Amino acid sequence: MLQKVWVSSPGSWTLQESNSHRQGKKRCWKCRFVRTIIQHPCRRHAPKRSRKERMLRKIQICLCFCFVSGILYEISLLSSCVFSYLPMAQHYLTPEQVLNLGKSIIFLETTERLEPPPLVSCSVESAARIYQDRPIILFMRGLTNETALDMNTSYAAFSLLSSMKNVFLFPLQMETVFQETPLLQWYNQVVPEQEKNWVHVSSDASRLALIWKYGGIYMDTDVISIRPIPQESFLAAQKSRFSSNGIFGFPARHKFIWDCMENFVLKYNGNIWGNQGPFLMTRMLKTLCNLTDFQGTEDHSCQNISFLNPQRFYPIPYPAWSRYYQVWDKSPTFNHSYALHLWNFMNRNRKVVVAGSNTLAEKLYKTYCPTTYEDLIQNAKHRDLPGPEEVE
């Protein structure tokens, strides 16, 4: 850090200018700037220096400017981690560059669709608003490198998410993701077309590999964030003695995640839904500690892994999932929750948020993903407009 030093002894400089000094201000501004750094007086009426002294003086000035430039450059590098001042356009950054910043929030879309539905958009937007100092990454199986660079896409939600300063949309390239993990051999042998639950299984594998390599938090695309998660190493209890894999977070290279990947391959059975997902997390957690029932809103801890109370993410359990799409006499506060899982897998009738319905889900959209909600309203208005054949 540069500090200005005030000296009041005879013959020294201060930041008060005399009348004569003001008259010579234009000629001596460089001296005043440099002397605040090198703490060397610059007297207007100093005797003429020798050639050697003048050369040394020029070298000092050059060094000072180089020093200041270096500091400014370091500041610019530090600012690249603060997304409010991100100096580089998002589409110039690679997944590795963003992930290596650390503490990413990761979402996965393992279908081929390119238009994120409103719930996916809401999940990503809510995370971007709650974690404004962290990169929010949506990996999409349907994206290619060319699509990722196309900022003029016709997909509304794609454009909506791309416009958020800390949101990044990247292609999901599984072979690259699984490099240097136990999952690569499994991926090279499996035949996706023959897998009953490939969309889910490939997502289960990808989230493990990404969190192991880079660390951060993984969230399903039907999770609405409402406040920051304080823990760094955690699993989310779906109910007592049973872990979800829809939300979890660990530092990079954590042994628990590596063990999960090994068990994924060892006990792989793609015909059983969840065998590589919540059942995997649960059986691996049970190898570390004796799981007990939760009392109240307490969290459990096991070998530096927090096992978070079901109230943190699942205050509405899956048998009652449809309550998100109902009108409540009094909306719950969710004071003990960090995020809400809306159980989209259970939503086989495809209930959606309807503007003006006053359902709990609509209120969540309004509060935690207002841009997505506004887009949803606009789309509804366009659908309600009469077509050319309807206009008399």
Side-chain angles (χ1 to χ4, degrees):
M1 297 295 293
L2 305 181
Q3 296 180 342
K4 294 183 180 180
V5 180
W6 293 77
V7 183
S8 58
S9 58
S12 65
W13 56 268
T14 71
L15 295 186
Q16 297 293 327
E17 295 179 288
S18 65
N19 291 334
S20 62
H21 220 148
R22 273 190 216 100
Q23 294 172 1
K25 183 176 182 179
K26 184 176 181 180
R27 190 155 56 96
C28 203
W29 68 271
K30 289 184 180 179
C31 291
R32 291 200 308 277
F33 175 75
V34 173
R35 73 189 178 205
T36 63
I37 300 171
I38 63 173
Q39 304 177 17
H40 188 80
C42 177
R43 299 183 182 87
R44 187 182 174 194
H45 303 293
K48 187 173 181 180
R49 298 182 180 88
S50 67
R51 184 175 180 180
K52 184 176 180 180
E53 289 176 329
R54 290 197 301 272
M55 182 62 70
L56 289 174
R57 181 66 168 174
K58 290 179 180 179
I59 292 173
Q60 286 179 322
I61 292 173
C62 290
L63 290 174
C64 288
F65 275 99
C66 289
F67 177 69
V68 172
S69 299
I71 290 177
L72 293 175
Y73 177 70
E74 291 293 332
I75 292 173
S76 71
L77 290 179
L78 288 173
S79 68
S80 68
C81 295
V82 182
F83 290 97
S84 300
Y85 303 95
L86 191 68
M88 190 181 299
Q90 291 170 315
H91 55 281
Y92 290 128
L93 295 171
T94 66
E96 289 75 20
Q97 287 173 323
V98 178
L99 287 163
N100 284 330
L101 292 174
K103 296 189 175 182
S104 299
I105 312 294
I106 297 173
F107 295 88
L108 294 172
E109 175 59 75
T110 50
T111 69
E112 295 290 335
R113 66 184 176 191
L114 280 174
E115 174 66 346
L119 182 53
V120 174
S121 178
C122 184
S123 297
V124 176
E125 180 188 347
S126 64
R129 292 178 179 275
I130 296 299
Y131 303 94
Q132 295 185 22
D133 60 339
R134 299 174 71 163
I136 313 298
I137 306 175
L138 173 59
F139 284 99
M140 302 180 71
R141 180 67 175 165
L143 277 183
T144 64
N145 287 327
E146 290 72 24
T147 313
L149 296 177
D150 181 10
M151 302 305 290
N152 297 316
T153 177
S154 59
Y155 297 112
F158 192 99
S159 299
L160 183 154
L161 295 176
S162 298
S163 67
M164 298 178 186
K165 61 189 177 185
N166 60 333
V167 172
F168 300 84
L169 308 180
F170 290 129
L172 176 59
Q173 298 169 333
M174 293 187 188
E175 186 169 359
T176 301
V177 168
F178 297 143
Q179 293 291 331
E180 301 176 3
T181 76
L183 297 168
L184 182 61
Q185 183 180 359
W186 160 82
Y187 180 72
N188 289 333
Q189 294 175 348
V190 74
V191 181
E193 295 77 15
Q194 298 177 3
E195 292 292 321
K196 179 181 177 181
N197 298 299
W198 178 247
V199 169
H200 301 287
V201 168
S202 59
S203 177
D204 292 336
S206 299
R207 69 189 70 175
L208 290 172
L210 286 166
I211 294 299
W212 182 78
K213 283 186 171 183
Y214 303 104
I217 296 174
Y218 168 81
M219 293 185 184
D220 277 348
T221 52
D222 56 350
V223 172
I224 298 178
S225 297
I226 62 178
R227 58 178 57 88
I229 302 169
Q231 290 83 358
E232 185 177 16
S233 301
F234 71 89
L235 293 172
Q238 184 172 313
K239 59 182 180 179
S240 285
R241 310 186 190 205
F242 189 80
S243 176
S244 162
N245 76 326
I247 312 158
F248 62 93
F250 286 90
R253 310 283 166 159
H254 197 283
K255 185 179 184 301
F256 179 80
I257 299 298
W258 180 268
D259 292 342
C260 285
M261 291 190 292
E262 289 188 329
N263 191 271
F264 182 106
V265 177
L266 181 65
K267 296 191 176 181
Y268 180 75
N269 187 337
N271 293 321
I272 301 176
W273 187 92
N275 187 61
Q276 276 66 51
F279 292 109
L280 166 66
M281 290 296 200
T282 302
R283 64 178 176 258
M284 294 305 297
L285 186 60
K286 285 181 177 178
T287 64
L288 299 180
C289 57
N290 181 29
L291 301 182
T292 58
D293 291 337
F294 288 94
Q295 303 296 328
T297 58
E298 66 176 4
D299 295 321
H300 291 173
S301 181
C302 178
Q303 297 195 20
N304 296 323
I305 298 175
S306 296
F307 191 39
L308 301 185
N309 192 288
Q311 288 294 316
R312 306 301 181 208
F313 307 103
Y314 302 99
I316 296 179
Y318 77 89
W321 68 270
S322 61
R323 298 203 66 191
Y324 281 114
Y325 298 93
Q326 295 173 1
V327 178
W328 291 54
D329 293 334
K330 182 180 179 181
S331 296
T333 61
F334 300 117
N335 287 336
H336 301 293
S337 301
Y338 302 135
L340 304 173
H341 194 289
L342 267 63
W343 302 106
N344 196 51
F345 178 72
M346 303 293 295
N347 190 3
R348 294 181 176 87
N349 293 327
R350 294 295 172 239
K351 294 180 182 291
V352 296
V353 171
V354 178
S357 62
N358 204 35
T359 61
L360 177 58
E362 184 192 14
K363 292 180 179 180
L364 294 174
Y365 274 47
K366 284 182 178 180
T367 304
Y368 300 107
C369 55
T371 305
T372 296
Y373 182 71
E374 183 64 28
D375 186 65
L376 185 149
I377 293 175
Q378 294 299 323
N379 290 338
K381 288 180 179 178
H382 289 314
R383 286 194 300 270
D384 293 339
L385 290 175
E389 68 281 358
E390 300 177 72
V391 179
E392 295 182 359

